[in-house]
Amino acid sequence: MTDLIRRKYVIQGQVQGVGFRPFVYRIALDNAMTGTVSNTSDGVFIEVQGPSAAVEQFGCDLTDKLPPLAQVVSRTEEDLPVHEGEESFIIVASSGSSGNTVLISADVATCDDCLGDMFDPANPRYLYPFTNCTNCGPRYTITRSVPYDRDKTSMACFPLCPSCRAEYENPLDRRFHAQPNACPVCGPHVWMTTPDKGSADADGPEQAEVCRETEAIRQTAKALSKGRIAAIKGLGGFHLACDATNEEAVTALRTRKNRWGKPLAVMVPDVAAARLLAHVSEAEAAQMASRERPIVLCRALDAGALAPAVMPDTHYVGIMLPYTPLHHVLFHFLREFSTGQVPALVMTSGNMSSEPIALGNREALRRLHGIADLFLLHNRDILIRTDDSVLRVHPETQERQFFRRARGFTPRPVFLEGDGPCVLGTGPELKNTLCYTRGAQAFVSQHIGDMQNLETYGFYQEIAAHLADILQVEPQAVIRDLHPDYLSTRYAEGLAKKRGIPVLTLQHHYAHIHSVLAENRYEGPALGLALDGTGYGEDGTIWGGELLYVDNVELEHERIGQLAPMPLPGGEAAIREPWRITQGLLWELGVFEPDTRMWTWWEEFSKAAAFLPQILERRINTPATSSCGRLFDAVAAMLGVCHTVRYEGQAAIMLEKIQDFSITGGYDCPVLPDAQPAVLDTHTLFMQAYMDWCMEVPESVIARRFHVGLINGVAELTAAVSGIMGIDVVGLSGGVMQNRTMSIELPKALRERGLTPLVHTQLPPNDGCISLGQAAWGRKMLLRG
């Protein structure tokens, strides 16, 4: 043993709550090492001692044999003096300190080993709906603080029984230090109740029980199969569930929840079942079955079993697989009551439209009693509200494109270039997220929602405080949107005043482009196409179709191009009733009344439509906008596809749906000469669509020609500016990039013109990415002083 050495490793990253210490213990034993391993706020500390060859092999194993959920961000090592007489390798109790570099794991779907336990009748955990191990189960949603240990989670109130304690303390067991570890003897339990028996004011859940444990899940499955609506407590909040093949049940859910038109997510037991409802590619199946278990948008089968009310406005359905043990047990019983159709459940957020997802039992009984016929509850507290993530797979690149980033992905960081100070990006008003930076990492919160009521604002404040706590950071600056009246703006101003730190302001669309550049770790000057519905512009108008110059090194930006402005008669009313935009745009183009055909909206809105010219002429509550999203709305309303919208993006979704993809040509969309900034003549584009409609060209043809014409026009404008400025990198961001046609064909059109498009793959292109752009920019502002 003359070559005995001792080496210390510090591992930072996602290394707590993922079985990292037992992994280290095992490879230490494999290499006959002595030493220690411990969790700290600064990561996992390891000291190993043994022959030099064994220490070197240990170092290789530390990289090559990582547990499935572990993610190493940094690894340092140094040699230490040998400890004479050390005889074993031990796992030391966790320790904490101020500040940390630990990454909290996101929630993880149930692993195959635990499913094996759950469906083995001889196993003590047979059909137990809280089965988990170090490779699966809840993490972020049950975590109060770091280090990630049981007493800092919502499992602290469930003392381990002797059997679970033995598993928890055995480094060679896959449940070693699995903080949510439990069994039917010592763990949480589940029960079913009804709105008339359950009480939001009851002292304890037992007072409200109708039945409990597996019988409660079985009775819930039976009720769902008979067309009832259930509120089911899940991982990050409640779901509202019903039979997705039952039109009457789905319609009842929509009526009670006041959610019309917007697609509803569907849960099925496995990929095979998903393929009975939709076209599911191998890449889509891989995402669907991944440990994150997101909702994946897939093209629905034309003759599928789904109720038409599930997704009336689109051909695409969002499908997810079970990700908790409770879901798996529920589908186990659903098969018992199945009458041959695919077992499929609508699983939509447990809330009324525009409110945050319900979190606790009493809260759910209070808020959802008018929607649900029954409640499936449990007594493991959810500490952090987290909705399901929603994404689709790009058919050419096979990359993920998020619509909503939440469960399974939060709080996974976005890695930035270089180290930097902590800042807080407070996000926009719609589809809000917030973002803290720490070193070279940006932590974007889960989807918070539309900041238009006090309930959502309360949720926002919860997450702002919780993320700062688990990351153990204090921002040195706070960055807000340019709009003065957003709730996020008020929060930024209040926090800055309280902490005595500066408030920085970044316009909405520049934040979009800073976000996509940060995701791609691109540094330097770039062009940016920010295409969305609404953003408060630097000139006081409403922007939304912008070609921007952004240099994220020199921190310079400029608006260098835009879509032609159009009026919004009635302001916010025009966003809810896009026929107003159509008539306003026609008025701008000199078309004051119907000619060869009666306008599609005239009969329904005749009084308001007759009054609209007076509003337009006097410019009463008629702001101008360059919004690309509003242009889609105008065309959809002109064709009669959608005169009023019930959810954001509805008109554009319906317009995209009706396209005739056999059409290859598009309308002209020229660049106006000598305009500063450059203007894309979308008025000419729109007028061609209107003339075709007057000549009774099919709406499907007009919709396709509009999409192709807009894509070619935007690409030509960008290429022309690129040639002048000598910049060939183009960041693409904004809610319009969620349009499937735009997301596929616009990057392709840019590449055909010699440009390099950068797109979002870690965050949504919608306003959910704004907080990252704010934080990335604000961090650099502080670095530049």
Side-chain angles (χ1 to χ4, degrees):
M1 302 293 286
T2 55
D3 66 340
L4 197 68
I5 64 172
R6 188 177 189 86
R7 186 164 294 167
K8 177 180 179 179
Y9 297 87
V10 178
I11 310 296
Q12 296 176 346
Q14 191 169 291
V15 289
Q16 292 190 9
V18 295
F20 196 82
R21 286 181 296 170
F23 153 70
V24 171
Y25 182 88
R26 286 193 296 272
I27 63 173
L29 294 188
D30 290 345
N31 290 284
M33 317 287 293
T34 63
T36 62
V37 58
S38 63
N39 271 348
T40 76
S41 296
D42 294 318
V44 174
F45 282 24
I46 306 166
E47 292 187 18
V48 291
Q49 184 168 299
S52 58
V55 172
E56 294 301 327
Q57 183 59 51
F58 174 88
C60 294
D61 290 347
L62 200 55
T63 300
D64 299 339
K65 298 180 180 180
L66 283 175
L69 303 184
Q71 180 184 5
V72 174
V73 173
S74 71
R75 164 180 159 170
T76 60
E77 52 189 87
E78 63 173 312
D79 287 338
L80 300 174
V82 170
H83 288 193
E84 298 292 344
E86 187 176 65
E87 296 181 351
S88 62
F89 190 91
I90 61 172
I91 298 174
V92 179
S94 301
S95 63
S97 62
S98 60
N100 77 81
T101 56
V102 173
L103 300 184
I104 301 298
S105 172
D107 300 291
V108 182
T110 310
C111 70
D112 290 341
D113 288 334
C114 284
L115 288 176
D117 292 345
M118 288 172 54
F119 292 104
D120 176 3
N123 193 287
R125 291 186 173 88
Y126 178 60
L127 298 184
Y128 182 57
F130 302 96
T131 303
N132 67 87
C133 69
T134 53
N135 296 324
C136 67
R139 298 291 193 277
Y140 178 61
T141 52
I142 64 167
T143 300
R144 283 195 175 89
S145 61
V146 293
Y148 174 72
D149 281 319
R150 192 178 180 94
D151 64 343
K152 296 178 178 66
T153 73
S154 60
M155 290 299 294
C157 58
F158 297 100
L160 291 164
C161 68
S163 176
C164 288
R165 171 68 63 184
E167 294 172 328
Y168 185 84
E169 293 179 348
N170 180 3
L172 299 181
D173 193 289
R174 81 171 198 277
R175 292 191 169 96
F176 173 76
H177 280 217
Q179 308 307 342
N181 188 30
C183 76
V185 174
C186 63
H189 72 267
V190 61
W191 67 98
M192 188 267 277
T193 188
T194 56
D196 58 323
K197 293 188 177 182
S199 171
D201 301 317
D203 293 333
E206 291 77 9
Q207 296 179 9
E209 287 181 3
V210 174
C211 54
R212 61 184 299 159
E213 311 312 349
T214 54
E215 182 60 20
I217 305 175
R218 184 178 182 275
Q219 290 299 324
T220 300
K222 183 177 181 180
L224 288 167
S225 70
K226 292 182 178 297
R228 308 288 292 281
I229 297 170
I232 300 173
K233 189 175 184 180
L235 196 63
F238 275 76
H239 280 123
L240 288 165
C242 71
D243 182 353
T245 67
N246 185 326
E247 178 75 3
E248 185 177 343
V250 177
T251 302
L253 175 56
R254 285 195 179 278
T255 302
R256 298 181 196 179
K257 185 176 162 70
N258 192 30
R259 175 170 168 163
W260 297 102
K262 193 173 184 179
L264 297 167
V266 173
M267 182 179 283
V268 295
D270 49 42
V271 171
R275 286 184 164 138
L276 296 175
L277 302 177
H279 301 277
V280 181
S281 70
E282 289 303 316
E284 289 165 339
Q287 289 294 334
M288 204 178 288
S290 68
R291 69 191 187 201
E292 294 89 358
R293 288 292 201 277
I295 298 169
V296 180
L297 297 184
C298 303
R299 173 93 184 200
L301 294 175
D302 293 336
L306 288 174
V310 170
M311 21 52 101
D313 297 342
T314 175
H315 294 302
Y316 289 83
V317 58
I319 301 178
M320 62 177 158
L321 302 186
Y323 54 85
T324 71
L326 190 150
H327 293 146
H328 287 283
V329 178
L330 182 63
F331 275 96
H332 170 79
F333 287 118
L334 274 171
R335 289 187 177 94
E336 178 182 333
F337 301 106
S338 173
T339 57
Q341 75 253 21
V342 182
L345 295 176
V346 165
M347 283 281 195
T348 188
S349 299
N351 57 7
M352 289 294 287
S353 292
S354 81
E355 294 180 353
I357 188 170
L359 191 69
N361 295 337
R362 296 181 186 183
E363 177 189 359
L365 287 164
R366 184 181 70 252
R367 290 173 52 194
L368 306 179
H369 72 276
I371 305 176
D373 298 312
L374 64 146
F375 290 77
L376 187 61
L377 307 174
H378 63 71
N379 61 339
R380 184 180 69 196
D381 287 342
I382 303 167
L383 301 182
I384 304 299
R385 301 172 207 265
T386 309
D387 280 288
D388 296 312
S389 295
V390 185
L391 59 83
R392 70 164 162 233
V393 176
H394 193 287
E396 295 181 358
T397 66
Q398 306 301 301
E399 292 276 7
R400 286 188 295 235
Q401 185 188 46
F402 284 97
F403 286 70
R404 184 170 72 199
R405 181 181 180 270
R407 178 190 51 76
F409 297 94
T410 305
R412 191 178 300 173
V414 176
F415 291 92
L416 307 174
E417 287 295 323
D419 201 359
C422 174
V423 300
L424 169 61
T426 55
E429 181 174 50
L430 302 181
K431 294 180 171 57
N432 180 273
T433 61
L434 54 87
C435 176
Y436 287 97
T437 63
R438 186 181 71 183
Q441 301 163 354
F443 294 86
V444 180
S445 74
Q446 67 268 45
H447 167 82
I448 292 173
D450 297 347
M451 297 268 284
Q452 296 178 318
N453 55 59
L454 291 178
E455 291 82 5
T456 306
Y457 185 52
F459 176 28
Y460 177 90
Q461 292 173 299
E462 289 173 15
I463 298 305
H466 181 72
L467 269 182
D469 183 48
I470 64 171
L471 296 172
Q472 297 186 9
V473 294
E474 291 189 11
Q476 298 178 34
V478 58
I479 300 88
R480 69 168 180 85
D481 192 88
L482 183 63
H483 199 295
D485 296 328
Y486 285 175
L487 285 174
S488 58
T489 295
R490 297 179 189 179
Y491 179 83
E493 297 289 350
L495 181 67
K497 183 177 181 180
K498 179 180 178 181
R499 297 283 182 87
I501 57 177
V503 180
L504 307 179
T505 302
L506 182 64
Q507 196 275 334
H508 183 97
H509 296 97
Y510 294 128
H512 264 298
I513 304 307
H514 275 283
S515 176
V516 72
L517 298 183
E519 268 196 57
N520 287 274
R521 303 183 79 168
Y522 175 83
E523 298 283 298
L527 300 178
L529 284 167
L531 309 174
D532 64 4
T534 299
Y536 188 77
E538 291 177 319
D539 59 0
T541 65
I542 301 171
W543 291 7
E546 314 307 319
L547 177 59
L548 307 172
Y549 165 76
V550 173
D551 187 332
N552 64 355
V553 173
E554 297 300 323
L555 300 182
E556 298 174 348
H557 52 239
E558 182 183 357
R559 186 194 199 196
I560 54 178
Q562 64 175 89
L563 271 59
M566 54 188 173
L568 293 179
E572 289 288 332
I575 297 173
R576 296 189 299 271
E577 299 179 353
W579 66 265
R580 294 171 176 268
I581 308 174
T582 309
Q583 190 170 333
L585 192 45
L586 289 171
W587 190 87
E588 288 278 304
L589 296 170
V591 180
F592 304 119
E593 59 186 24
D595 187 10
T596 58
R597 293 182 72 182
M598 181 58 65
W599 290 337
T600 57
W601 63 92
W602 190 265
E603 183 176 348
E604 184 179 1
F605 299 100
S606 55
K607 288 185 178 180
F611 185 67
L612 213 63
Q614 298 179 48
I615 296 176
L616 288 160
E617 188 161 357
R618 298 177 185 178
R619 293 289 172 182
I620 300 170
N621 190 24
T622 303
T625 182
S626 56
S627 167
C628 189
R630 301 290 83 83
L631 179 64
F632 276 86
D633 291 351
V635 175
M638 184 263 291
L639 296 180
V641 171
C642 184
H643 291 148
T644 60
V645 298
R646 290 183 168 179
Y647 60 91
E648 187 185 12
Q650 182 180 15
I653 289 170
M654 297 176 72
L655 183 66
E656 184 187 24
K657 177 183 178 180
I658 67 168
Q659 289 179 91
D660 180 350
F661 284 95
S662 69
I663 304 299
T664 56
Y667 298 126
D668 291 334
C669 190
V671 179
L672 291 177
D674 304 323
Q676 289 295 329
V679 174
L680 187 64
D681 186 7
T682 44
H683 289 181
T684 292
L685 173 75
F686 177 83
M687 196 61 184
Q688 291 168 86
Y690 178 69
M691 294 303 296
D692 268 1
W693 176 81
C694 289
M695 292 186 290
E696 301 190 23
V697 172
E699 286 81 2
S700 59
V701 174
I702 296 173
R704 181 59 183 160
R705 288 175 177 170
F706 166 74
H707 278 84
V708 173
L710 179 63
I711 287 166
N712 287 335
V714 169
E716 283 295 323
L717 170 65
T718 309
V721 172
S722 169
I724 295 170
M725 300 187 70
I727 301 172
D728 61 4
V729 172
V730 186
L732 301 177
S733 192
V736 170
M737 294 309 300
Q738 290 183 161
N739 177 296
R740 191 173 189 275
T741 302
M742 296 291 287
S743 70
I744 294 171
E745 297 183 20
L746 181 54
K748 183 178 179 181
L750 293 170
R751 285 192 293 268
E752 288 172 350
R753 290 162 174 81
L755 305 177
T756 302
L758 302 178
V759 298
H760 292 278
T761 57
Q762 300 179 66
L763 296 175
N766 63 36
D767 286 3
C769 75
I770 289 288
S771 64
L772 172 64
Q774 292 172 337
W777 172 80
R779 177 174 169 270
K780 290 185 174 181
M781 288 289 286
L782 288 194
L783 287 171
R784 289 175 62 90

